[in-house]
Structures are given as structure tokens and as C-alpha cells.
Amino acid sequence: MSYVLAKSKDDDILSAGECGGAITSILKYLLDEKLVDGIFALRPFDDIYDAMPVFITDSEDLISTAGSYHCAPTMIGDIIERFIDDDTKIAVTVKPCDMRAMHELVIRHRINDDNVYFIGLNCGGTVSPVSGRKMIDLFYEADPNDVVSEEIDKGKFIIELADGGEEAVKIHDLEAEGYGRRNNCQRCDVKIPRMADIACGNWGAEDGWTFIEINSEKGQKLVDGAKKVGILETKTPNDAAVEGRSKVENIMIKMAKKNQDATYPLVSEMDEWSRCIGCYACRDICPVCWCFENCELNKSYFKDEANAFSSPIAFQGVRLSHMSFSCCDCGQCEDVCPMDIPVSLIFDKLQKKYYERTGYVAGVSEDIKPPLYSPEKTEL
């Protein structure tokens, strides 16, 4: 592991980038040098609340993906697993939960990581698009439609308006009113995606620079290559910058642990499961769950009304037994549940229990499969 501060030497990218444009410059280097066939990233469509994944093959189009999109909690891992073959070389920008999901797919041989550059993004949390609009309307002196960019920095959710104005509200105050970051983000304790080749962000960075943690040989070659072709400028961060970044990360983790203690009820105390209608939305959206053709929930005996699940928790019980140890707490299952069941809460709770017994952290533990995923079962 090593650290650098970096910024783009391309004026357009530098202007459009969130903090120095280093990520966009590295992606441009990969495309221009034909090291990848394409780039997976997010790009806003109608507005900042509507960012969608795009596959870019022309580096001139990368400028449209520059910046941060906290109001677009979109996962990419399952798209790569389903639609990108093993021979296609790509780079992908990943939040911690993206990276955790993709690592789980890598160890299941569903993604060939030899052909993927993982460009990590430090993440303090994301905001639901619908909730984000309501939040801005209620707590800011601004029209949500006038917001051109947003960021989370120094404990505040900051918006920039079309007229150049800027407003900020403390995240803590927003969440005290039921807004702010999504519930799973509030309890997430993985803030830096260290399984990625590089992990980038503004924590500890000087103004106009990106702080990059280099986590692999492939990541080192990325930074060195972009610098060599003249698109990236780098320098070594001082000790205060490294310490400042670590301090921010530790504060975020401490907040997450506090939220975990406050929001993890006993399973026996949860009655929300009675609302489950077995619609399969949580299964279908899960970025790690991939074996639909052989899914136990698709068996004919579950299709027959006479043999259907005796209780709603039985449906979730099948999923929990198969997937809870690999939950990356992305919150997608909860986002799509039509009955507003806190699905990700119980999955993450069981993943934490699993960690206590086995030491396995989904998407973080290296080079091993989850113990209960292995054919070699051991008593826990």
C-alpha cells in the first residue's frame, strides 16, 4: 500500500472533476492507450438524481461522468457478471459496496478480475433520489431542480446551484429528521474500498487534488502510466494528510458502529416479515445472487399453491441461508421492496454474526470463500 496526491493535467477534466479530476484522467489513459475495451461509470441523464451506468468506449465521452453522484445509489457488479464476457477488458468505478459485491463474484468465478481495473471511490454514503429531492425542498432554500452538483464533505451535505450559490446542512441534522443517507449507508463500516486497485477521494487531500491509496501492482502501473503520458500530475502527501484521511475514516466507522448498535433488533422482535409477498424483487436485484437458473426459490414445489411457503419468513429464510454470509450491505434489496421491509438490515445483521463466528467479512476477506460456501463444512 502506498499513497499519492494526484490531479489532472487536462484543463477540461480538471474543471469538471470533483477533486482534481484524477479518476477521469486515469480512465482516459486506459482508453487512449487501449488497455481496456470500455469503461463502466455513472453519468447523469435528466438531472443529478438520475445517474445511470454507462459503458464508454470513446475517451471524449468520459467528461460526462466526472463528478460525484451521491443521489444515485446504483450497483454495477451484477451488470458486469451478466453481460460482460471474460475476454472483454474493462475498468469500473466502484464504491465500497460495489467492490465488495464484485469480490464475492470474483471468488465464485463469475467475474474475471484479470481483465478488470477496479477504480475505488471512498464513500461516506448515498442518498435515495426521491428522498434527496424531498430533503433539499424541506431543508435548503433551494429548488431541487436548480441543483447542478452535490457532495458530502466535513459532515455536511453540500449542494451547488445553477446560479453558483452553495448551501450546506449537517448530515447529522438531516438524519435526525429521517433524511440524509440511506439506512444501510448509515451503518456501513467499510468506507474505503481497499480490494480495489486504487481507492480515491478527497479525504486528506489538498484543495484541487485527489488522495489515492494504491492497493495493487496493477494500481501502481495505472498511476505511473497516466503520469508517464502526461495526463496526470502526482506528489507525495505529507504525514498530516495521511493522518487526516485516517481520522476521517475512523470517525465514519465510529458513527457506523453507533448506528449498528442502535438499529439491530432481535429477529424475534421484527414483525415486518409478515408483509412479504414473495415477489422476488430482493433476490433479482441482489448483486451477488446469480444462480437464477438453479435457484431453490424457482423449484416447482414452490410454484404450486398447495406447497407454497407456509409463512413469509420461509421465503426469506431460503435466501438468508444462501446469501446472508455474502451480504455487502448495498441496500438494493430494501430499495426495491414494495412492502417497505428492511430486508438489508437482517441480512447485514446475520453477516455480522457470521463474522463473529468465522472472521469472514463479505467482499473484504481475501482469497477465501465464505466457510459455509465451501464443500468442506466445519462446525462453528
Side-chain angles (χ1 to χ4, degrees):
M1 180 193 300
S2 60
Y3 307 116
V4 296
L5 295 177
K7 69 176 179 179
S8 180
K9 297 183 76 172
D10 180 299
D11 290 339
D12 291 335
I13 293 177
L14 186 62
S15 175
E18 180 67 26
C19 51
I23 296 172
T24 306
S25 292
I26 289 171
L27 297 178
K28 178 175 171 60
Y29 158 71
L30 285 169
L31 277 177
D32 288 348
E33 297 299 313
K34 303 187 185 310
L35 297 174
V36 296
D37 299 307
I39 305 288
F40 265 109
L42 292 181
R43 184 179 72 191
F45 277 72
D46 293 335
D47 49 45
I48 65 164
Y49 315 99
D50 190 32
M52 300 286 285
V54 290
F55 188 63
I56 292 177
T57 56
D58 185 342
S59 65
E60 294 300 314
D61 295 331
L62 283 171
I63 198 75
S64 65
T65 68
S68 63
Y69 305 106
H70 293 96
C71 293
T74 304
M75 297 292 286
I76 294 179
D78 57 333
I79 298 175
I80 295 174
E81 186 273 324
R82 295 179 194 182
F83 301 111
I84 301 299
D85 60 55
D86 285 348
D87 297 324
T88 302
K89 296 182 178 180
I90 65 171
V92 56
T93 55
V94 290
K95 306 183 301 296
C97 54
D98 284 309
M99 188 64 245
R100 293 176 67 185
M102 287 190 220
H103 181 62
E104 288 292 312
L105 291 168
V106 166
I107 63 179
R108 287 165 168 76
H109 307 292
R110 303 302 301 176
I111 292 178
N112 179 10
D113 61 337
D114 290 336
N115 287 340
V116 182
Y117 290 92
F118 295 108
I119 312 301
L121 311 172
N122 301 346
C123 184
T126 57
V127 179
S128 161
V130 174
S131 175
R133 279 184 165 276
K134 291 180 179 178
M135 178 180 77
I136 291 170
D137 186 46
L138 288 172
F139 299 98
Y140 296 75
E141 295 180 2
D143 183 334
N145 294 319
D146 292 337
V147 178
V148 295
S149 69
E150 45 73 23
E151 65 174 322
I152 296 176
D153 190 29
K154 297 178 180 177
K156 297 180 180 180
F157 188 86
I158 305 167
I159 61 172
E160 182 182 346
L161 304 175
D163 62 6
E166 188 176 279
E167 295 187 30
V169 177
K170 291 181 179 179
I171 289 285
H172 178 272
D173 294 342
L174 294 170
E175 292 175 357
E177 298 294 331
Y179 290 87
R181 298 170 300 162
R182 296 155 69 230
N183 290 335
N184 60 293
C185 296
Q186 292 181 39
R187 63 176 179 264
C188 174
D189 53 16
V190 180
K191 301 300 183 182
I192 296 178
R194 291 191 168 90
M195 296 302 292
D197 296 304
I198 57 176
C200 311
N202 63 358
W203 300 347
E206 300 173 18
D207 288 343
W209 292 78
T210 303
F211 193 115
I212 300 178
E213 178 180 311
I214 301 172
N215 296 313
S216 70
E217 182 179 348
K218 193 159 55 172
Q220 185 66 61
K221 290 180 178 179
L222 265 182
V223 174
D224 291 345
K227 183 179 179 180
K228 185 176 181 179
V229 301
I231 196 173
L232 196 70
E233 178 182 352
T234 67
K235 64 180 182 180
T236 302
N238 57 34
D239 292 343
V242 175
E243 183 180 343
R245 177 176 182 265
S246 179
K247 183 178 180 180
V248 173
E249 180 187 14
N250 289 332
I251 289 173
M252 298 295 290
I253 292 173
K254 185 177 180 180
M255 290 171 57
K257 299 293 187 184
K258 184 177 180 180
N259 284 321
Q260 289 173 14
D261 292 340
T263 59
Y264 283 170
L266 296 174
V267 177
S268 59
E269 295 175 351
M270 298 181 69
D271 60 3
E272 290 92 345
W273 300 108
S274 63
R275 301 199 296 264
C276 178
I277 58 175
C279 68
Y280 291 74
C282 56
R283 182 203 67 173
D284 294 346
I285 199 66
C286 177
V288 182
C289 190
W290 60 271
C291 53
F292 294 163
E293 292 182 4
N294 298 315
C295 181
E296 191 70 20
L297 296 172
N298 286 343
K299 301 298 185 183
S300 59
Y301 45 77
F302 284 143
K303 301 297 182 181
D304 182 352
E305 185 173 343
N307 296 322
F309 300 105
S310 58
S311 68
I313 191 62
F315 173 85
Q316 293 296 339
V318 173
R319 292 202 64 240
L320 285 164
S321 66
H322 286 194
M323 298 304 303
S324 60
F325 47 76
S326 290
C327 177
C328 61
D329 200 23
C330 68
Q332 298 286 295
C333 52
E334 198 164 314
D335 287 344
V336 300
C337 179
M339 304 307 291
D340 293 327
I341 300 170
V343 184
S344 68
L345 177 64
I346 186 63
F347 273 76
D348 184 56
K349 176 182 173 69
L350 289 187
Q351 207 290 316
K352 296 292 192 295
K353 290 289 187 183
Y354 192 78
Y355 164 71
E356 292 173 4
R357 295 286 189 93
T358 69
Y360 184 85
V361 180
V364 175
S365 296
E366 296 186 60
D367 301 327
I368 58 172
K369 289 184 174 70
L372 291 183
Y373 182 82
S374 168
E376 298 179 5
K377 302 292 191 294
T378 57
E379 185 175 349
L380 300 179

